[in-house]
Amino acid sequence: MPSAFHRLASPHLIRTKKPTAAKKKKRKRSTLPSPKPQPTQHPLADQGAEEEEGEEEEVLGFKLKPSASSRRHAIQPLGNLLLLGGASANARDVGLGTLRALPDDLLLDVLALLPARDLAALSAVSRSLYVFAAHDPLWRPLVLDRFHGDFLFRRSWRSTYLSAAGSSPLPPTSGLLIRNFYSDYLFQSWLCASIEMKSEWLEIDNIERRRGISIEEFIDRYEGHNKPVLLEGCLDSWPAMERWSRERLIRICGDVKFAVGPVEMTLERYFQYADAAKEERPLYLFDPKFADKVLELGSEYEVPIYFREDLFSVLGKERPDYRWIIIGPAGSGSSFHVDPNSTSAWNAVIKGSKKWIMFPPEVVPPGVHPSADGAEVACPVSIMEWFMNFYAACRKWKKRPVECVCRAGEVVFVPNGWWHLVVNLEDSIAITQNYVSRSNLLNVLDFLGKPNASELVSGTKDRVNLYEKFRGAIDASFPGMIDEVTAKAQEKKKPSFWETVTDAKVGGFKFSF
């Protein structure tokens, strides 16, 4: 076995893994179609080793990224085994013994309970267990749990752990020769991390695009009807558009750490990770306190004129989290969710570009399964998996999603209650803010007053009393506003985007990045 694993199994690297109580909702992967059988011998080289970037390659009709190569990937889909007609056994089963009865996703769930030393020791048992123990997503939580954000990414999470845990550079590894190993789960995990976005996934742009409209027209045509719109020309005066280069951001932020998934990292270390990562679900920098941490960041952008009525501001420092800086590499993003606390939102791209897919409140996206009380949402494992398995179907629906590519200098308005998925098409930097205006004030109050609001409300420490605090602050700052808005709502019932009655009081799905 590779010497790096023997180093990891040495006594001085033993650590105790703390139990966690995190709840996750995930779904099994869909079965893959079968490609033409590939050569059955592949070196399972260490994922941290350098790879040559060859010519363009396709697998199952998907174009691979320049950094990916199926010739260097040892795992094949199960369909290839079927095409062999019994001429070969699945090496997966031979090397697992009695564990072969477990489906791959359940086996990986079991291995995820192991600390790094035990995972490394298990990899020495057989080639099959080496393959599973080397599955890189197993090593990501081990790195983040032990080293938090204080690590240098080494092209894979396994190599990162080995490097960070050792006192000397990693020795070269020759890898193992893996033959006839078939697994749909492991193959699709690799495929989702390795493919480019297909051109047909990007060609639809059916959102309304507007430039230079008045505030009154924005409210009358879009915010008042809970309808998305892409606004152009709103960011022309932002200093951030010219100043937010990587080099300057690293310089002005220095040692300040930002929220990246469950840890905090400096921008320099995050950019180093983002450049080297080749994974299905890249870590996303999503920080709600950025403007307090680095004052220059807060002073180099301003709220576009259409969104300056923000009634949550009456709560002062007690308001829920409402603004974030978002930084991520191509392929990073957020799976389908509804924005917190029934708020509306705007998202402004400063660098890069983003693909947006949005469904109105009454249409649950395919592959997405919200719980009855709205407290949890089960989604596909990754954004790319959703595109592979569900995107084509929803294009044939009568109520098709609103889609667009939002580029640098453009802003997307996301009405309250709308489901949306966002994926970065390239390295991207954006600012987003959630807000409450007169148009969605009643929805927010209704949401905050739900019996299970303590489970649904997010972004604040006081989930129980937020309704009373917000309503009291509105009455004190704007006497009569709630009654006025209620009267107008009773006079005219708002039609939905699809000209049907919409329950605009949804929006209680919690989400995290």
Side-chain angles (χ1 to χ4, degrees):
M1 296 297 158
S3 56
F5 273 132
H6 286 289
R7 291 172 64 248
L8 185 58
S10 61
H12 73 278
L13 292 175
I14 298 176
R15 73 180 182 91
T16 302
K17 182 173 181 177
K18 298 179 180 179
T20 59
K23 295 181 179 180
K24 293 184 178 180
K25 286 277 187 176
K26 68 177 183 179
R27 305 183 63 225
K28 293 184 178 180
R29 297 186 184 276
S30 303
T31 303
L32 287 166
S34 301
K36 183 179 179 181
Q38 302 171 6
T40 59
Q41 296 187 24
H42 299 266
L44 185 61
D46 181 76
Q47 295 172 359
E50 293 292 333
E51 297 180 1
E52 294 183 2
E53 295 187 1
E55 58 187 15
E56 290 185 1
E57 187 179 357
E58 287 193 1
V59 173
L60 298 177
F62 297 99
K63 179 182 174 182
L64 295 184
K65 297 175 182 177
S67 59
S69 172
S70 64
R71 293 183 292 273
R72 295 187 63 85
H73 187 67
I75 316 302
Q76 301 181 60
L78 276 171
N80 282 11
L81 180 61
L82 297 176
L83 290 175
L84 293 175
S88 174
N90 192 347
R92 171 205 183 274
D93 298 336
V94 175
L96 289 180
T98 56
L99 292 176
R100 66 180 179 273
L102 297 179
D104 291 349
D105 58 335
L106 181 56
L107 178 57
L108 289 169
D109 285 343
V110 173
L111 296 186
L113 301 174
L114 300 178
R117 178 176 179 270
D118 292 346
L119 193 61
L122 188 65
S123 71
V125 174
S126 69
R127 281 178 167 79
S128 292
L129 286 172
Y130 179 81
V131 170
F132 281 101
H135 187 53
D136 213 42
L138 290 176
W139 292 88
R140 181 160 104 170
L142 295 174
V143 171
L144 300 180
D145 180 52
R146 179 172 179 181
F147 304 106
H148 307 288
D150 298 321
F151 62 87
L152 289 177
F153 190 75
R154 302 293 186 184
R155 295 178 65 88
S156 77
W157 289 106
R158 185 182 66 173
S159 294
T160 300
Y161 191 98
L162 297 173
S163 176
S167 57
S168 59
L170 282 176
T173 58
S174 58
L176 291 176
L177 187 63
I178 304 297
R179 305 179 183 183
N180 306 322
F181 195 105
Y182 303 90
S183 166
D184 279 348
Y185 190 93
L186 295 180
F187 181 81
Q188 183 157 329
S189 178
W190 168 81
L191 187 65
C192 288
S194 302
I195 63 174
E196 302 273 14
M197 292 284 288
K198 299 184 76 170
S199 58
E200 53 261 43
W201 296 347
L202 305 175
E203 62 187 15
I204 294 181
D205 195 311
N206 58 2
I207 196 171
E208 287 193 37
R209 292 174 171 266
R210 301 299 305 272
R211 175 185 288 269
I213 63 174
S214 65
I215 298 175
E216 292 74 21
E217 184 178 1
F218 168 74
I219 295 173
D220 290 342
R221 295 196 57 176
Y222 304 105
E223 186 183 67
H225 289 278
N226 219 41
K227 178 180 177 181
V229 64
L230 187 148
L231 300 166
E232 301 172 343
C234 295
L235 315 183
D236 294 347
S237 63
W238 283 18
M241 295 300 298
E242 296 293 332
R243 299 179 185 175
W244 283 18
S245 64
R246 274 195 181 193
E247 295 74 17
R248 182 172 180 273
L249 289 176
I250 290 173
R251 177 171 55 82
I252 66 174
C253 295
D255 294 331
V256 174
K257 293 184 177 181
F258 297 88
V260 179
V263 301
E264 291 193 334
M265 301 176 68
T266 64
L267 279 185
E268 185 173 17
R269 290 205 169 184
Y270 178 74
F271 283 135
Q272 186 270 339
Y273 155 80
D275 288 340
K278 303 173 185 176
E279 57 180 329
E280 184 177 1
R281 297 178 295 111
L283 288 174
Y284 210 14
L285 190 153
F286 199 83
D287 194 292
K289 307 298 183 184
F290 72 98
D292 299 323
K293 294 177 178 179
V294 182
L295 297 181
E296 290 97 322
L297 298 181
S299 66
E300 292 180 350
Y301 84 96
E302 61 180 355
V303 177
I305 59 173
Y306 308 106
F307 314 111
R308 291 181 182 171
E309 182 184 56
D310 187 0
L311 299 177
F312 254 153
S313 63
V314 298
L315 291 174
K317 293 184 178 180
E318 291 189 281
R319 72 174 298 168
D321 292 339
Y322 70 103
R323 60 179 178 178
W324 295 263
I325 187 172
I326 310 174
I327 303 177
S332 61
S334 56
S335 56
F336 275 109
H337 64 277
V338 173
D339 279 341
N341 306 327
S342 200
T343 56
S344 297
W346 55 270
N347 186 297
V349 177
I350 297 171
K351 303 289 183 184
S353 57
K354 297 172 181 284
K355 169 69 179 183
W356 283 76
I357 297 183
M358 293 181 276
F359 287 89
E362 70 273 21
V363 180
V364 178
V368 177
H369 301 276
S371 61
D373 63 356
E376 293 181 331
V377 178
C379 293
V381 174
S382 68
I383 294 173
M384 196 63 71
E385 185 180 0
W386 185 86
F387 274 99
M388 292 171 64
N389 296 324
F390 298 103
Y391 178 73
C394 71
R395 292 181 65 176
K396 301 176 183 178
W397 288 9
K398 181 178 180 180
K399 296 181 180 180
R400 297 178 183 177
V402 173
E403 302 183 43
C404 69
V405 173
C406 185
R407 298 175 175 82
E410 299 176 340
V411 179
V412 169
F413 165 63
V414 186
N416 74 288
W418 277 67
W419 293 92
H420 51 284
L421 171 152
V422 189
V423 58
N424 291 318
L425 304 180
E426 55 189 309
D427 294 349
S428 299
I429 302 174
I431 294 289
T432 187
Q433 288 196 188
N434 292 76
Y435 74 102
V436 183
S437 67
R438 296 168 192 257
S439 298
N440 68 327
L441 174 60
L442 297 183
N443 297 323
V444 173
L445 286 171
D446 184 73
F447 173 77
L448 297 180
K450 288 179 179 292
N452 61 338
S454 61
E455 299 178 7
L456 302 178
V457 171
S458 63
T460 179
K461 295 180 180 179
D462 189 358
R463 297 181 176 185
V464 176
N465 301 310
L466 187 59
Y467 172 81
E468 289 78 9
K469 288 181 179 180
F470 183 46
R471 182 168 187 128
I474 289 291
D475 286 337
S477 301
F478 304 100
M481 175 183 285
I482 295 177
D483 292 337
E484 177 185 343
V485 172
T486 301
K488 289 184 178 179
Q490 292 174 346
E491 290 175 6
K492 184 177 181 181
K493 197 172 184 179
K494 295 188 298 183
S496 74
F497 179 67
W498 305 106
E499 297 182 353
T500 59
V501 177
T502 297
D503 179 9
K505 297 180 181 180
V506 301
F509 299 97
K510 294 192 297 185
F511 67 99
S512 60
F513 297 90

